[in-house]
């Protein structure tokens, strides 16, 4: 597995200096790029450094765990899986440049494990235009769930589904009526904000306050002052874990104690770590099962694969999501007869339709490129663990 620093190329592409089409026609290459006699090469653009770099490294770890598991078992029909990862630092322009490098210089078979809405949207558009499978992006963006995005394969529930779960649980379980929103001022944050507005409108409600901050910053003080004045019962946070933690710590230091609810993109374990003593009772929705629930065969396999990759690694929802994306890729490409093709991959995904990965099912059909609709509500405990709940407890968890 290779990590390629930003603006770097592999020895192969540096020596050959060939584009996407030329590489695929060289002797020893299959008709489609990324397919070799002994391996399949995939590409990833993700934040591996910077304010959300931990999300990208966790996503990558999950993918590598799944691929090591497959490779140690002999590979996929005798081919090992290789991952080339490029750091986009959570920037859409860099993600697009990385995708161009991976498709045209590296000549990868598919893209997998992108992180964040704006970077994923940029990378997905080019992949869709090129007919390249784009698999398992770490975002619930509606833009990636368009019916005509036939080469885009989403694993997780959408942000609209997460925000609906927020509002449903808070109104039904706790009787909350005064909602405020802190959102990241970009396509991700606005997507979540719109989801909140739709969920509230269904119940005859509107946000009592909205505050925003800029991506790749933790500048949330102005937003906090706006939200504090409205005296909300709950603050719904569509952001990354560092600014979310900064907001919650500042709020609690001022005696502001609404229910704090966070999106899966925040990264529950990372948020808990960043909050430290301020973490108890904070709510986080997840889109995969608990990474500690070893009653699920999927989670048992994930834990074993993660330990085999790195015995010091700790299970987490983000790396589990990467592992699921990797397992789905292995299942689909392993079902192909003859030389794997990119078109064949997508056709097989929809032909098979349903994938049971060990107690966690994904289902795809024409016009629906999202495998799971599941949203799990968790509450951060005092010891930093995330407890899955069916109903929300009172203030303080």
């Amino acid at each position: 597995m290779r990590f390629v620093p930003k603006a770097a190329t592999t020895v192969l592409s540096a020596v050959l200096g060939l584009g996407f089409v030329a590489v695929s026609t060289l002797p020893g290459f299959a008709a489609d790029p990324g397919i070799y006699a002994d391996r399949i090469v995939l590409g990833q653009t993700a934040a591996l450094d910077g304010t959300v770099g931990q999300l990208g490294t966790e996503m990558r770890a999950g993918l590598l765990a799944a691929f090591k598991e497959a490779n140690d078992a002999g590979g996929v029909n005798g081919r090992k899986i290789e991952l080339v990862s490029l750091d986009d630092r959570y920037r859409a322009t860099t993600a697009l440049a990385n995708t161009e490098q991976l498709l045209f210089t590296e000549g990868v078979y598919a893209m997998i494990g992108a992180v964040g809405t704006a970077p994923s949207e940029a990378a997905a558009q080019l992949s869709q235009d090129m007919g390249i499978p784009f698999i398992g992006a770490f975002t619930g963006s509606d833009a990636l769930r368009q019916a005509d995005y036939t080469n885009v394969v989403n694993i997780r529930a959408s942000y609209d589904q997460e925000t609906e779960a927020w509002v449903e649980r808070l109104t039904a379980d706790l009787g909350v009526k005064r909602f405020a929103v802190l959102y990241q001022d970009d396509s991700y944050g606005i997507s979540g904000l719109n989801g909140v507005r739709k969920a509230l409108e269904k119940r005859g409600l509107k946000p009592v306050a909205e505050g925003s901050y800029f991506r790749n910053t933790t500048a949330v003080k102005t937003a906090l002052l706006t939200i504090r004045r409205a005296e909300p019962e709950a603050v719904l946070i569509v952001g990354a874990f560092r600014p979310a933690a900064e907001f919650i710590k500042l709020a609690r230091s001022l005696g502001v104690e609404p229910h704090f609810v966070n999106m899966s993109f925040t990264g529950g374990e990372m948020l808990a770590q960043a909050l430290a003593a301020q973490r108890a009772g904070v709510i986080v929705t997840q889109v995969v099962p608990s990474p500690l629930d070893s009653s699920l065969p999927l989670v048992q396999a994930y834990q074993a694969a993660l330990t085999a990759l790195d015995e010091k690694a700790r299970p987490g929802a983000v790396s589990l999501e990467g592992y699921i994306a990797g397992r789905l890729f292995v299942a689909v490409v392993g079902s192909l007869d003859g030389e794997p093709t990119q078109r064949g991959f997508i056709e097989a995904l929809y032909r098979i339709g349903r994938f049971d990965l060990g107690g966690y099912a994904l289902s795809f059909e024409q016009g629906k490129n999202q495998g799971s609709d599941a949203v799990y509500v968790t509450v951060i405990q005092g010891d930093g663990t995330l407890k899955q709940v069916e109903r929300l407890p009172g203030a303080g968890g």
Side-chain angles (χ1 to χ4, degrees), residues 315-364:
V318 180
S319 59
L320 175 56
E321 188 168 339
Y323 176 78
I324 290 169
R327 282 280 301 271
L328 176 65
F329 175 80
V330 171
V332 176
V333 79
S335 74
L336 301 178
D337 294 327
E339 293 296 285
T341 65
Q342 291 154 333
R343 177 178 294 181
F345 181 94
I346 297 300
E347 289 175 349
L349 177 85
Y350 289 108
R351 183 178 66 252
I352 297 169
R354 189 177 188 278
F355 300 84
D356 186 341
L357 302 180
Y360 179 77
L362 300 173
S363 181
F364 300 90

Side-chain angles (χ1 to χ4, degrees), residues 179-230:
F179 293 84
V181 187
L182 172 69
Y183 66 97
Q184 187 166 282
D185 191 7
D186 66 356
S187 57
Y188 158 53
I190 293 170
S191 175
L193 173 63
N194 289 337
V196 170
R197 288 172 174 169
K198 284 186 282 188
L200 289 176
E201 186 178 356
K202 284 174 57 177
R203 296 161 176 86
L205 300 171
K206 292 182 179 180
V208 296
E210 298 172 358
S212 65
Y213 70 92
F214 291 113
R215 182 172 31 153
N216 284 325
T217 75
T218 57
V220 297
K221 290 181 181 179
T222 301
L224 173 58
L225 293 175
T226 299
I227 288 171
R228 181 190 185 191
R229 286 194 293 269

Side-chain angles (χ1 to χ4, degrees), residues 103-170:
L103 297 184
F104 298 114
T105 303
E106 299 291 336
V108 300
Y109 176 75
M111 296 290 295
I112 193 166
V115 171
T117 297
S120 296
E121 289 175 357
Q125 179 66 66
L126 179 57
S127 297
Q128 174 65 26
D129 291 345
M130 295 291 299
I132 309 296
F134 185 85
I135 306 158
F138 188 70
T139 175
S141 166
D142 283 344
L144 269 65
R145 286 157 174 79
Q146 302 172 63
D148 60 348
Y149 262 37
T150 53
N151 286 345
V152 175
V153 181
N154 297 293
I155 304 292
R156 56 170 29 232
S158 70
Y159 289 149
D160 277 4
Q161 290 170 312
E162 283 197 71
T163 52
E164 168 63 25
W166 288 356
V167 175
E168 171 61 23
R169 293 273 54 86
L170 286 164

Side-chain angles (χ1 to χ4, degrees), residues 22-46:
V23 168
S24 67
T25 59
L26 285 176
F29 289 86
D32 278 5
I35 301 297
Y36 299 81
D38 60 346
R39 67 194 188 281
I40 302 173
V41 182
L42 306 181
Q44 179 193 26
T45 179

